[in-house]
């Protein structure tokens, strides 16, 4: 499962790193606490981050897998200690923080080392995502967006509904990536081709946001998506929200009290 490990690395390796350890733990815990978990994904330079920010601006909380991944390797954390012990002080900046560009160069050139990094950080990242979801659940949020770049590759799509894919045509994606990072056409092609194609992701989505046009066009599409995402919860989703859990608990307590009184009145 991809839980954002690429988020700790430089953009030159964005989308190349994914892992599967820790999936069962986070998925079983998410199943117990979720309400409406919306999956948000896309491709490099598709505009996913812009859509994520639009959700935030409308009061919808977003759990960013890349941000979680960066946090688990902050100086002094358990993840930081594991990474430094494995890859050495050469991956550190002068302030002691992980040099993401340097670490990216190391793991990008060696698939075996990428797997080692995945194995080291998977438990920390999976726990980090779970706790972000749990904290939002405790606060009473009924709709949470999970921003996971490799949602399908990680098979996390089975735990989110609806699934939103931010899509652009290949030419636009290439041009935007080259303009954004000042990279060569060859390098941009390599980075795009390293990911699952946006057309394939589009075919597996519940909702597609076409971001080929302008920012105003994107915002117009987003308004329609926001209406769909914030529709009333189903009974199943409501039952898994904090409000639903409290309602069910209260109903059970009242039921027990009523039954006890009935039994007492009947001399049972």
């Amino acid at each position: 499962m991809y839980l954002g490990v690429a988020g700790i690395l430089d953009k030159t390796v964005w989308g190349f790193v994914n892992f599967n350890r820790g999936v069962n733990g986070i998925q079983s815990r998410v199943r117990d606490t979720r309400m409406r978990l919306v999956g948000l994904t896309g491709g490099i330079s598709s505009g996913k981050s812009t859509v994520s920010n639009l959700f935030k601006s409308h009061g919808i909380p977003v759990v960013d897998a890349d941000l979680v991944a960066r946090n688990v390797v902050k100086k002094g954390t358990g993840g930081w200690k594991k990474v430094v012990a494995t890859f050495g002080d050469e991956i550190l900046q002068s302030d002691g923080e992980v040099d993401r560009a340097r670490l990216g160069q190391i793991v990008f050139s060696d698939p075996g080392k990428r797997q080692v990094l995945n194995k080291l950080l998977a438990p920390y990242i999976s726990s980090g995502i779970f706790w972000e979801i749990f904290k939002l659940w405790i606060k009473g949020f009924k709709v949470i967006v999970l921003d996971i770049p490799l949602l399908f590759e990680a098979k996390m799509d089975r735990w989110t509904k609806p699934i939103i894919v931010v899509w652009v045509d290949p030419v636009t994606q290439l041009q935007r990536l080259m303009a954004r990072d000042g990279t060569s056409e060859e390098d941009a092609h390599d980075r795009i081709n390293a990911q699952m194609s946006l057309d394939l992701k589009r075919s597996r989505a519940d909702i597609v946001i076409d971001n080929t046009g302008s920012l105003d066009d994107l915002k117009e599409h987003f308004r329609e998506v926001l209406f769909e995402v914030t529709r009333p919860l189903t009974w199943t989703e409501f039952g898994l929200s904090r409000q639903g859990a409290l309602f069910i608990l209260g109903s059970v307590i009242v039921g027990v009290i009523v039954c006890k009184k009935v039994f007492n009145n009947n001399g049972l």
Side-chain angles (χ1 to χ4, degrees):
M1 169 188 181
Y2 176 91
L3 292 177
V5 170
I8 71 171
L9 306 178
D10 184 76
K11 288 293 184 179
T12 56
V13 295
W14 192 98
F16 285 83
V17 184
N18 77 81
F19 58 90
N20 290 301
R21 287 184 62 88
V23 175
N24 292 335
I26 186 173
Q27 289 177 344
S28 62
R29 286 177 287 183
V30 166
R31 185 167 54 222
D32 292 335
T33 60
R34 70 185 174 118
M35 51 300 288
R36 175 175 292 155
L37 293 181
V38 179
L40 174 64
T41 191
I44 189 169
S45 291
S46 67
K48 178 182 62 63
S49 296
T50 302
V51 173
S52 180
N53 289 331
L54 286 173
F55 274 115
K56 294 175 187 176
S57 69
H58 284 79
I60 306 296
V62 176
V63 176
D64 187 334
D66 281 348
L67 181 59
V68 171
R70 289 194 290 270
N71 288 336
V72 302
V73 292
K74 284 186 176 297
K75 184 179 179 180
T77 62
W80 179 89
K81 293 175 182 178
K82 291 276 189 180
V83 171
V84 174
T86 301
F87 294 95
D89 293 341
E90 64 180 282
I91 65 165
L92 297 179
Q93 301 174 157
S94 58
D95 60 1
E97 295 290 351
V98 171
D99 185 331
R100 293 188 292 150
R102 175 58 183 152
L103 181 58
Q105 291 172 354
I106 293 173
V107 301
F108 175 65
S109 61
D110 189 331
K113 291 182 179 179
R114 287 206 303 272
Q115 292 179 2
V116 170
L117 180 64
N118 292 337
K119 182 178 180 180
L120 289 176
L121 298 182
Y124 298 101
I125 298 174
S126 61
S127 294
I129 289 180
F130 165 73
W131 284 114
E132 290 301 314
I133 294 173
F134 184 73
K135 286 187 290 186
L136 293 170
W137 184 84
I138 288 295
K139 292 179 181 179
F141 288 101
K142 296 187 288 293
V143 178
I144 297 174
V145 173
L146 298 187
D147 181 348
I148 303 180
L150 302 186
L151 185 75
F152 295 112
E153 296 90 329
K155 302 188 185 305
M156 192 68 176
D157 54 303
R158 73 184 78 176
W159 305 105
T160 56
K161 188 73 175 181
I163 296 169
I164 301 171
V165 169
V166 184
W167 180 91
V168 293
D169 66 82
V171 173
T172 301
Q173 183 182 22
L174 180 66
Q175 292 174 342
R176 288 179 178 174
L177 178 56
M178 293 171 62
R180 188 192 73 183
D181 293 351
T183 186
S184 67
E185 183 173 346
E186 181 181 1
D187 183 49
H189 269 301
D190 289 342
R191 292 162 65 184
I192 291 172
N193 293 335
Q195 301 177 351
M196 179 187 291
S197 75
L198 280 175
D199 285 338
L200 180 54
K201 290 185 177 183
R202 179 178 186 170
S203 69
R204 299 173 61 179
D206 298 307
I207 300 172
V208 176
I209 298 180
D210 186 339
N211 188 30
T212 303
S214 65
L215 179 59
D216 288 337
D217 293 331
L218 175 62
K219 290 180 178 180
E220 182 63 32
H221 291 315
F222 177 78
R223 280 192 284 270
E224 299 172 2
V225 172
L226 184 64
F227 177 80
E228 175 67 18
V229 167
T230 57
R231 72 188 189 284
L233 299 181
T234 65
W235 280 108
T236 299
E237 291 170 329
F238 176 71
L240 292 171
S241 68
R242 189 191 69 167
Q243 291 87 339
L246 292 175
F247 174 79
I248 293 172
L249 178 61
S251 298
V252 170
I253 293 174
V254 170
V256 170
I257 294 174
V258 170
C259 288
K260 184 175 181 180
K261 287 184 177 180
V262 170
F263 289 156
N264 289 339
N265 290 337
N266 285 282
L268 299 178

